[in-house]
Amino acid sequence: GPGLTFDTNSNTLYGSLGTLSRIDTTTGRPTAVGALGFSSVSALAFDSDRSILCGVDDGPETFITINTATGAGTYVGPLGPFFQFDEIEGLAFDPDSATLYGTNVDPDELITIDTLTGEATVVGALAFTVFGLALDPNTSTLYGADIVTDQLITINSTTGNGTVIGPLGFANVQGLAFDPNTN
């Protein structure tokens, strides 16, 4: 699926679907920034502490950083041997704890990723198949979009347990982003 994230420093919504794009939050129209240089960037998150756009490439599972001016991705490191053939579909950065969270959908689990090395660690099992992941930096609440049941959930960042909020009203939601300016 495509990656989606909101940069709170510049109030910019970014998306990845072959290229890095800036997305107009009023019209929903993307403007291409440039080629990522990686074949399958499935997840994006903005590290607001370091002002770095982060991503995961699914072929094979590697952690990258992305230049927001050119769209070019830079290899940081592999997620690790346990994630070599998995699907990391969601990323969200918590500026309060300086933690990058991700969702693996094979098996369904919440992970953390070291932004300096790319190494991933399992937090816990999810009872949901979460493609879209977003974090409210005002409350450090993780939100997920379950692609199977089309529900919005909250995710416990310590255990990985999810709680249903309710139906999204859209089928096949694969990306989430949270705008702390408008909630």
Side-chain angles (χ1 to χ4, degrees):
L4 193 63
T5 192
F6 189 78
D7 171 0
T8 56
N9 294 341
S10 67
N11 291 323
T12 303
L13 183 63
Y14 289 102
S16 66
L17 193 56
T19 63
L20 180 67
S21 296
R22 288 185 189 93
I23 301 170
D24 185 307
T25 58
T26 304
T27 66
R29 291 199 172 123
T31 301
V33 175
L36 292 161
F38 289 83
S39 62
S40 184
V41 177
S42 61
L44 293 176
F46 192 80
D47 177 342
S48 57
D49 287 349
R50 298 185 305 151
S51 295
I52 296 174
L53 184 57
C54 304
V56 171
D57 182 59
D58 273 343
E61 299 298 328
T62 57
F63 181 70
I64 65 172
T65 58
I66 302 166
N67 183 313
T68 57
T70 66
T74 301
Y75 174 85
V76 174
L79 295 181
F82 298 110
F83 300 96
Q84 189 173 11
F85 301 105
D86 293 353
E87 294 181 47
I88 308 304
E89 296 293 344
L91 285 180
F93 184 77
D94 184 349
D96 288 340
S97 65
T99 303
L100 180 62
Y101 293 99
T103 54
N104 183 12
V105 298
D106 188 18
D108 295 331
E109 55 196 4
L110 181 68
I111 64 172
T112 58
I113 299 172
D114 183 316
T115 59
L116 299 177
T117 66
E119 186 176 348
T121 303
V122 175
V123 172
L126 281 167
F128 302 92
T129 304
V130 176
F131 270 49
L133 186 67
L135 183 123
D136 174 353
N138 299 317
T139 64
S140 293
T141 302
L142 274 174
Y143 292 96
D146 182 343
I147 196 167
V148 175
T149 63
D150 297 320
Q151 297 182 93
L152 182 66
I153 64 170
T154 58
I155 301 170
N156 182 308
S157 62
T158 305
T159 65
N161 291 331
T163 303
V164 173
I165 294 174
L168 287 164
F170 299 95
N172 203 21
V173 174
Q174 295 186 24
L176 285 182
F178 192 90
D179 181 348
N181 302 312
T182 62
N183 290 323

